[in-house]
Amino acid sequence: MIRAAVLPAVGSPLEITGIQLPEPGPGQVRVRLAAAGVCHSDLSLSNGTMRVPVPAVLGHEGAGTVVSVGEGVTHVAPGDGVVLNWAPSCGACHHCGLGEVWLCANALTGAANVYARTEDGTELHPGLNVAAFAEETVVAGNCVLPVPDGVPLTDAALLGCAVLTGWGAVHHSARVRAGESVAVFGVGGVGLATLQAARIAGASTVVAVDVSPEKEALARAAGATDYVLASETTAKEIRRLTGGHGADVSVECVGRATTIRTAWEATRRGGRTTVVGIGGKDQQVTFNALEIFHWGRTLSGCVYGNSDPVKDLPVLAEHIRAGRLDLGALVTERITLEGIPGAFENMLAGRGGRALVVF
């Protein structure tokens, strides 16, 4: 028996309880978690914005130590430190064939499986494949990647979502070039990673936007040169800070229609707006045909940072070892499993950066 945070039904409070975890079968790996980040996607899964089979153990951003492996697993061994990869690519679908592994059609098929049971025998699903809100988990072999040398195991949890997403939004989706200006909307865990990535890319002006004045120090420490409190004049303020033109790149990390629209308006003519935030179906964004023609901007979605974890983790590790990327700076709260509901409340209230469950 191990302890886990179980979502019994969509919209229900999480229950911290014991679950029965089987030994790994062929092609599977059992991992003892060192840490798990609390991502806004976990909140979206719990409240029904995103679909998840229930009951489920949520948590998709994590790292830990391999306890045991099933038959056929050779890329990791007991005692190895690993990062959980919640969206493994199958390598065989149409998108994988195009090299777009972040859009793999089969990446989330494992979330429908039964992977554990409660004490009374109720079947449990692994939220987003990996069920990181637990002391231990059993995952498919392609859901674990070795922790790069020189990266602390607890901090490595953040590589599983926030950092790959923020890094990829800047370097893969928006493709920020040295000297360009960047506006980042939302200073949570992903937003802080995006700010660091923009600084590493050599952006000249980096504007952070958030509803909370308390986040300014966090944003500036991550690389923001300017800080703007979100208001009806946000786009105008960003244009003022960027020579009257608007940002070369805007990255939206919130997932709200009004924020996406503001990010679009804050982008210069011919610039790029990248949407990272995950919003609900009720969040409708509208544009008129004339403005699309006139402004010549590019608006694009961004899934998991358009990243390939196998290729990107070694790159990120080099920046970490060189001191350019500070994983610890994303964390504003270290909690236990019991602290996850409070972390959800902080997200809803716009407080803090990343909360990290430390086991």
Side-chain angles (χ1 to χ4, degrees):
M1 298 294 296
I2 62 163
R3 295 173 68 249
V6 175
L7 178 70
V10 173
S12 297
L14 294 180
E15 299 176 354
I16 311 303
T17 186
I19 68 171
Q20 299 173 344
L21 200 64
E23 290 304 311
Q28 292 184 321
V29 179
R30 183 163 180 155
V31 178
R32 180 179 300 113
L33 273 296
V38 183
C39 179
H40 201 280
S41 296
D42 296 310
L43 175 60
S44 295
L45 290 167
S46 71
N47 64 25
T49 300
M50 298 168 62
R51 293 182 180 180
V52 62
V54 290
V57 175
L58 301 183
H60 62 279
E61 180 183 85
T65 303
V66 175
V67 176
S68 55
V69 300
E71 181 183 352
V73 175
T74 59
H75 68 296
V76 294
D80 288 350
V82 292
V83 177
L84 298 181
N85 176 18
W86 62 270
S89 56
C90 70
C93 72
H94 177 70
H95 287 289
C96 285
L98 295 174
E100 299 171 345
V101 298
W102 55 92
L103 298 178
C104 175
N106 300 306
L108 294 178
T109 55
N113 296 336
V114 172
Y115 94 112
R117 297 177 185 273
T118 61
E119 292 181 87
D120 64 6
T122 301
E123 295 180 339
L124 293 172
H125 301 278
L128 293 186
N129 284 327
V130 295
F133 289 166
E135 294 171 330
E136 295 186 13
T137 188
V138 173
V139 300
N142 60 357
C143 285
V144 297
L145 297 168
V147 172
D149 292 340
V151 179
L153 187 58
T154 300
D155 289 349
L158 300 166
L159 294 173
C161 184
V163 176
L164 274 172
T165 299
W167 172 266
V170 168
H171 291 269
H172 300 319
S173 180
R175 298 185 181 182
V176 174
R177 299 181 289 266
E180 288 192 312
S181 56
V182 178
V184 178
F185 291 75
V187 185
V190 173
L192 289 169
T194 304
L195 289 168
Q196 289 204 43
R199 171 178 48 78
I200 292 170
S204 57
T205 300
V206 181
V207 184
V209 182
D210 200 274
V211 297
S212 172
E214 287 77 21
K215 290 189 179 182
E216 180 171 0
L218 279 173
R220 290 189 181 276
T225 58
D226 299 275
Y227 192 80
V228 174
L229 280 176
S231 70
E232 293 181 355
T233 63
T234 295
K236 183 182 294 185
E237 182 67 11
I238 291 173
R239 287 195 294 272
R240 184 187 67 80
L241 293 168
T242 53
H245 305 292
D248 294 303
V249 169
S250 291
V251 182
E252 199 273 358
C253 303
V254 181
R256 293 180 185 158
T258 54
T259 315
I260 295 169
R261 179 71 209 193
T262 302
W264 164 267
E265 293 174 355
T267 305
R268 69 164 174 85
R269 193 177 188 189
R272 291 99 70 200
T273 305
T274 292
V275 179
V276 174
I278 302 173
K281 292 180 179 179
D282 61 324
Q283 296 292 311
Q284 298 292 314
V285 188
T286 60
F287 308 91
N288 66 62
L290 181 59
E291 69 174 308
I292 292 174
F293 161 76
H294 173 76
W295 290 106
R297 298 167 176 143
T298 299
L299 176 67
S300 62
C302 179
V303 178
Y304 202 8
N306 293 7
S307 294
D308 180 348
V310 175
K311 295 179 180 178
D312 286 328
L313 283 185
V315 175
L316 291 169
E318 183 55 37
H319 287 297
I320 294 167
R321 288 191 290 264
R324 293 184 290 267
L325 181 59
D326 183 359
L327 298 181
L330 276 63
V331 180
T332 54
E333 187 180 19
R334 295 176 186 268
I335 60 176
T336 62
L337 284 172
E338 287 78 6
I340 296 173
F344 283 173
E345 292 177 6
N346 286 337
M347 283 182 191
L348 289 171
R351 293 188 294 262
R354 202 47 136 212
L356 190 67
V357 179
V358 179
F359 295 93

